[in-house]
Amino acid sequence: MATMLAENNDLSGAEKVFAFFRNALVDGTLKAGERLLGERELSLKLGVSRPLLREALRSLAMLGFLDIQHGRGAFVKKADISVLSDFFTFSLAQQPDILDDVMEARIAIECQAIRIACDRASETDLKRIGSKLSRLMDTLNDPVEGGAADFAFHQAIVEASRSEALITLYGAIGDLLRRSHVQRREVTVMEPGIVDYLVEAHREVFLSIVDRNPDVADRKLREHFAIGDEFRRRSLISAFARRPAT
């Protein structure tokens, strides 16, 4: 990021600005809505030139972390998850087989989230998950709508954990996860037994949260992932078997 701001001899100065902002957020010195020190005072405090400071603050504003108001100064903004999601999408999308890799991250996040959700989920959270399950059942034969509904169901579980870290990480890879759900549905939509499996697997996952049993919830979710992968594998084998020889 710093290379966009200045020449090589200014990199350490730009890094000072980013480090100051990051550390102030982490230790609670700065919070959303608070105003940064004035440009002159902040440049002296950090030992950087005012032009470099200006460029660094502009970059932070472009990333959605600051709101620079002419004549008033720079104010801390609540981070927009869509910015982080874009960053992850751009960074990860260039890797081969990225959807399989993201699936591994998804399993790690969701299995921890569902255990926490068994303890923390409110009645409102349970109703939300239930409504997502109903939508999933209404779109079983539509890969696009069904994939989106499937993603929304799992996202609601993560949100029910009320863990900001898990919710943020899940949201950061949300675009890739949604695409993965749709692609998997497109591959398996014609597989015998897939509709019954989707209904029963998601219903069991939901009921395990309602029963507030983290061990059962974790096991049901892992079984869901494993069986889903088996359906996908069988579908791919069938697709290749149907191809005419060349």
Side-chain angles (χ1 to χ4, degrees):
M1 184 186 299
T3 55
M4 297 188 295
L5 303 175
E7 298 299 327
N8 289 339
N9 61 344
D10 284 330
L11 285 179
S12 61
E15 288 167 354
K16 284 182 182 178
V17 179
F18 298 131
F20 163 78
F21 187 73
R22 181 179 62 247
N23 294 338
L25 288 175
V26 170
D27 66 23
T29 306
L30 281 176
K31 295 182 175 61
E34 293 187 352
R35 180 180 179 278
L36 294 184
L37 293 172
E39 188 179 285
R40 180 174 178 279
E41 188 177 357
L42 189 55
S43 65
L44 289 172
K45 179 182 178 70
L46 300 179
V48 299
S49 68
R50 293 176 72 173
L52 184 145
L53 174 65
R54 229 172 272 129
E55 288 300 313
L57 296 182
R58 245 184 239 123
S59 291
L60 289 170
M62 289 176 63
L63 290 171
F65 300 134
L66 289 178
D67 176 21
I68 299 178
Q69 301 179 17
H70 182 67
R72 296 193 62 212
F75 294 81
V76 180
K77 287 180 65 177
K78 182 175 175 60
D80 183 355
I81 188 60
S82 66
V83 174
L84 187 58
S85 181
D86 287 343
F87 174 79
F88 269 84
T89 301
F90 291 148
S91 298
L92 296 175
Q94 302 173 45
Q95 307 301 319
D97 301 320
I98 187 55
L99 293 184
D100 288 336
D101 194 25
V102 167
M103 185 65 183
E104 294 177 0
R106 173 194 170 192
I107 292 172
I109 294 171
E110 284 194 38
C111 287
Q112 179 61 17
I114 200 170
R115 297 188 71 90
I116 301 173
C118 285
D119 178 54
R120 297 182 183 174
S122 66
E123 289 301 314
T124 299
D125 292 323
L126 295 177
K127 288 179 181 178
R128 184 183 304 112
I129 299 171
S131 71
K132 302 302 181 185
L133 177 59
S134 296
R135 175 61 180 165
L136 185 154
M137 292 179 177
D138 290 339
T139 56
L140 290 169
N141 296 310
D142 185 329
V144 175
E145 292 297 323
D150 203 333
F151 168 75
F153 172 82
H154 288 272
Q155 185 180 41
I157 292 174
V158 176
E159 290 172 348
S161 74
R162 300 183 177 271
S163 166
E164 288 300 325
L166 293 177
I167 293 169
T168 299
L169 289 171
Y170 200 78
I173 57 175
D175 287 343
L176 293 171
L177 289 178
R178 191 178 292 102
R179 190 187 315 168
S180 173
H181 277 286
V182 172
Q183 288 189 3
R184 284 168 179 267
R185 285 295 188 91
E186 289 173 340
V187 169
T188 61
V189 66
M190 299 303 294
E191 186 68 20
I194 186 64
V195 170
D196 290 340
Y197 157 71
L198 287 171
V199 171
E200 187 61 19
H202 287 90
R203 188 181 68 83
E204 288 185 354
V205 168
F206 173 56
L207 291 178
S208 69
I209 303 173
V210 174
D211 290 340
R212 300 194 180 279
N213 190 323
D215 291 334
V216 172
D218 189 326
R219 187 177 75 251
K220 291 296 183 182
L221 190 57
R222 291 181 187 276
E223 289 173 355
H224 169 43
F225 290 138
I227 297 172
D229 281 341
E230 177 61 19
F231 268 104
R232 180 168 173 264
R233 186 186 68 82
R234 280 162 37 188
S235 296
L236 290 171
I237 291 173
S238 298
F240 277 103
R242 290 193 297 268
R243 284 187 180 180
T246 55

